[in-house]
Amino acid sequence: RTLNRPRTPEGVLAVDVGSRPGVWRRAGQAGVPCGIDWAQATAILPLNTDRDRILTLLRDFEAGLIEGAGETAKRQADEAKRRT
């Protein structure tokens, strides 16, 4: 979403880290994102950054993505019920 795009270097880095393959834990057959793999995420953070700030931003990123994934999964389930 354009309105929510990061405006700070830390925000850009948080979105970059949160968008990398292997950073998300997934659940179910559909592989719905269920949370960040924090060990993986922190392992790829550069050392010369404000890690506490980036981790705070990543938690916000995680919450938004999980909320959106849940809404999408519910909508898809509702549509599948209507088709049967």
Side-chain angles (χ1 to χ4, degrees), residues 40-56:
Q40 179 69 19
T42 55
I44 58 179
L45 285 176
L47 296 176
N48 60 343
T49 57
D50 183 349
R51 294 171 73 83
D52 290 338
R53 176 73 179 133
I54 293 166
L55 292 175
T56 297

Side-chain angles (χ1 to χ4, degrees), residues 71-84:
E71 290 170 358
T72 299
K74 183 178 181 332
R75 185 175 56 250
Q76 289 172 343
D78 291 345
E79 289 172 3
K81 284 180 188 175
R82 281 194 296 264
R83 287 192 297 260
T84 58

Side-chain angles (χ1 to χ4, degrees), residues 12-65:
V12 171
L13 182 57
V15 169
D16 178 56
V17 169
S19 300
R20 291 188 188 186
V23 172
W24 286 93
R25 292 180 293 123
R26 297 184 175 272
Q29 290 180 333
V32 176
C34 64
I36 288 178
D37 179 337
W38 290 102
Q40 179 69 19
T42 55
I44 58 179
L45 285 176
L47 296 176
N48 60 343
T49 57
D50 183 349
R51 294 171 73 83
D52 290 338
R53 176 73 179 133
I54 293 166
L55 292 175
T56 297
L57 293 169
L58 271 172
R59 282 190 284 277
D60 292 341
F61 185 78
E62 176 186 45
L65 193 130

